Amino acid sequence: MKEIRKTNWLFLILITAFTAVSFGGGFLYQLIANFWWADAFFILLPELLMLGIATIYIKGSGKKFGETIRLHKLSPLTIFLLIIMGIFLIPVVSFINALSMMFATNLVGDTIDTLSDYGFLFSLFAIAVVPAFVEEVVYRGIFANTYMKRSYIKGALLSAFLFGIMHMNFNQFSYAFFIGIVFAFVMEITGSILSSIILHFMINGSSIVSYFIVTKVQDLLGEQEVQMATDSIQITWEVVGAYFLPAVFSGSIFLFLLWLIGKSNGRFHVLRNRKSENETIFVEGQPKVKEMIEEKKERLWTWQLVVATLLCCVIAIVVEIGNRIP
């Protein structure tokens, strides 16, 4: 079976497994509901399931895990610049999130609220550490690296689309699609998946830090006063507009840092010159001419992706309607 088709099968299997856990996990939850770790386990279960399926996929392909996902070292300078980049990327993501909340329900807050009972460190681990590693391994390490062999731009866009739609709600899709593209670019100019893992951690971690800061303010000022203040903040076009200028400024700094990281790693030219993996995406070696021709002929979209995407959309619609019903 060709590599792209196998990868598309992987996405369908992942979505099917997630759906089974989401709708069939109720019985299992009832069995462990009395345990203190029940909620945390079910929040982590999709990520653990994803990592397990992805590991089996990589091992079954006969490839080494580290080579497949491009797990290479980063210089201290690159790590420092990536951390700064993550800080300036957050306002851009916040703007996209606010804009999408005009049309879709934000569900992330409920998850963080549930995890907050387990404390800051566990919340950071469950929301930032685990997803940053697992989701990057799957959606950049496997999907992006596979699709970009066929077409660099289309591969980056498709892997970002799958990363967004797998969240199964329209609010998260909006900014997950955007950062999925960013992560693919950053991984490319550094040659390592560690770069996208760092950015992913920064973005997810910021939501946890913000939540616990607000919680501390509640403790200091009194929950009622803070509740009155937060209740008065409604997502309107004026609020979205307030996010716009910080997003533009931060986005400009982000682009400069992207250029700077590319220059410091000697890889910025791969974004400027290369159209696809066939001009070389991996530093380790070149694909054979025959393999290049076969990859060019292979279609990115197959029926497996169509079925999985439709399933994600149906679930997202059901979830959105369910949250809008009083």
Side-chain angles (χ1 to χ4, degrees), residues 235-247:
I235 296 297
T236 63
W237 286 112
E238 288 76 14
V239 173
V240 173
Y243 280 95
F244 178 71
L245 287 181

Side-chain angles (χ1 to χ4, degrees), residues 141-160:
I142 297 177
F143 289 113
N145 282 329
T146 298
Y147 295 146
M148 287 192 294
K149 293 178 184 178
R150 169 64 176 82
S151 170
Y152 176 65
I153 298 299
K154 291 180 181 179
L157 291 174
L158 179 56
S159 62

Side-chain angles (χ1 to χ4, degrees), residues 16-181:
T16 303
F18 286 175
T19 304
V21 169
S22 299
F23 291 95
F27 176 73
L28 176 60
Y29 182 79
Q30 292 301 320
L31 296 177
I32 64 173
N34 294 328
F35 294 96
W36 64 268
W37 44 264
D39 290 333
F41 173 77
F42 267 82
I43 289 175
L44 288 173
L45 183 58
E47 300 292 335
L48 297 176
L49 185 64
M50 186 189 308
L51 181 61
I53 294 174
T55 301
I56 293 173
Y57 172 84
I58 294 174
K59 294 296 183 181
S61 65
K63 299 178 180 178
K64 293 183 179 180
F65 189 87
E67 292 179 0
T68 299
I69 66 172
R70 302 173 73 183
L71 186 61
H72 306 303
K73 293 181 180 179
L74 295 173
S75 68
L77 175 61
T78 298
I79 294 174
F80 173 75
L81 292 175
L82 284 168
I83 293 173
I84 302 300
M85 175 186 283
I87 294 173
F88 282 100
L89 187 59
I90 290 170
V92 182
V93 175
S94 298
F95 168 72
I96 298 173
N97 180 43
L99 182 62
S100 70
M101 286 174 63
M102 294 294 296
F103 311 99
T105 306
N106 187 332
L107 303 176
V108 177
D110 294 335
T111 302
I112 297 177
D113 188 56
T114 300
L115 276 174
S116 64
D117 295 335
Y118 297 90
F120 173 76
L121 290 179
F122 184 83
S123 299
L124 190 68
F125 175 77
I127 296 295
V129 176
V130 175
F133 176 75
V134 175
E135 293 174 11
E136 290 311 302
V137 165
V138 175
Y139 287 92
R140 253 59 63 185
I142 297 177
F143 289 113
N145 282 329
T146 298
Y147 295 146
M148 287 192 294
K149 293 178 184 178
R150 169 64 176 82
S151 170
Y152 176 65
I153 298 299
K154 291 180 181 179
L157 291 174
L158 179 56
S159 62
F161 173 80
L162 299 183
F163 176 60
I165 203 67
M166 73 89 177
H167 287 86
M168 298 182 183
N169 70 82
F170 296 117
N171 170 248
Q172 282 183 280
F173 170 81
S174 61
Y175 57 82
F177 175 64
F178 167 75
I179 62 177
I181 299 172

Side-chain angles (χ1 to χ4, degrees), residues 259-276:
W259 173 83
L260 190 61
I261 291 174
K263 283 292 186 180
S264 66
N265 284 272
R267 292 181 56 84
F268 189 77
H269 64 282
V270 299
L271 296 183
R272 185 176 64 248
N273 298 335
R274 207 192 64 255
K275 294 182 179 180
S276 74

